[in-house]
Amino acid sequence: MKEKLKEIWYRFGGWFLLLGVPLAVVAIGLTAGQAHKDYTSLPRTEAAPPAESEVTFDMDTNKAYTAEDGVVVIPAAEQPGKSQAKPVECLPDPARVWENTASLSTNSYTLPEEAALEDGAVGVLTIPSLNLSAPVYETEEGGEMESMTKGVAHFATTSAWAGNIALCSHNVAPAGAVAYFRDIHQLTEGDTIFYKTALGERQYKVSEVKEIVEDDWSYLGRTEDNRITLITCITGKANMRLMVQALEV
């Protein structure tokens, strides 16, 4: 069999090289030419992106191109339909983006470091009708007990000035602490509360005094108005808390 194949190759192989390869090249060239002709015969559509401010959901105004549009051409920068983007005339100075003086507070929330006094307290609470004046100290979230050994504790999740300021203290003092909120149950609607920070001093009027369950945190939420919320325990009611809330006047 091998000898038969060798004989056929010796007799006809030369003709295959002389004629077969050129014919193959011609066939490939004809195929490529036809493909190019088909491509150039497709409809050509020039894409003209609108300015960003003009983008709408109106498909007549903002064309959505499909396969029926054929070849979609993105024109050169100097041609009709060029990018509508405008150069930025003034870039922010990177050195000033995170200045230490930049405030991260909002209109209804103030960070404690922005309200802090020089002595380390974040505020001073004064209730004239109870002859009470006490420093307020910031806490880590959940660490109010530690701060209450120094003074009144500020709930870390609440604002330190704008919006709702929430404070807590003991009603019965353990060893090494002071029961600053021992008498807040005596407050009634209309009583005055003052609160002072490095950002100023505000006056509030008591609007509500009520008992709440120990896990009711709804009175500590953020508010658009300025208010102060006082929380303390209730003797004999381990699962209840006394809540006093006052609004700015």
Side-chain angles (χ1 to χ4, degrees), residues 13-73:
W15 290 105
F16 173 77
L17 292 176
L18 290 175
L19 299 177
V21 173
L23 288 174
V25 172
V26 171
I28 292 172
L30 291 173
T31 301
Q34 184 61 42
H36 179 71
K37 181 178 179 181
D38 292 341
Y39 173 79
T40 55
S41 65
L42 288 172
R44 302 176 71 82
T45 303
E46 182 179 271
E52 183 177 346
S53 61
E54 297 173 354
V55 175
T56 71
F57 288 103
D58 183 349
M59 291 298 100
D60 292 329
T61 302
N62 299 134
K63 172 71 173 176
Y65 298 103
T66 68
E68 295 178 358
D69 295 304
V71 181
V72 178
V73 179

Side-chain angles (χ1 to χ4, degrees), residues 145-239:
M145 292 296 293
E146 180 179 352
S147 292
M148 284 193 287
T149 61
K150 300 184 294 182
V152 175
H154 172 248
F155 282 98
T157 57
T158 68
S159 177
W161 180 243
N164 186 14
I165 304 168
L167 311 175
C168 62
S169 183
H170 296 293
N171 71 322
V172 176
V178 177
Y180 288 108
F181 285 1
R182 178 188 58 201
D183 298 324
I184 66 170
H185 64 281
Q186 298 178 17
L187 292 171
T188 58
E189 187 175 341
D191 283 344
T192 301
I193 296 176
F194 294 93
Y195 191 66
K196 181 180 180 180
T197 72
L199 298 174
E201 184 174 16
R202 286 195 175 117
Q203 179 179 341
Y204 304 83
K205 291 289 185 181
V206 174
S207 60
E208 190 172 12
V209 180
K210 67 180 298 185
E211 294 184 5
I212 60 175
V213 295
E214 62 179 343
D215 58 355
D216 180 1
W217 304 110
S218 61
Y219 292 92
L220 274 59
R222 295 188 184 183
T223 61
E224 292 299 323
D225 60 3
N226 294 322
R227 62 180 64 187
I228 194 164
T229 304
L230 312 180
I231 303 287
T232 194
C233 295
I234 301 175
T235 302
K237 298 181 179 180
N239 64 336

Side-chain angles (χ1 to χ4, degrees), residues 93-104 114:
D93 181 356
R96 295 177 59 85
V97 172
W98 295 108
E99 280 186 337
N100 292 332
T101 56
S103 173
L104 296 179
E114 296 183 17

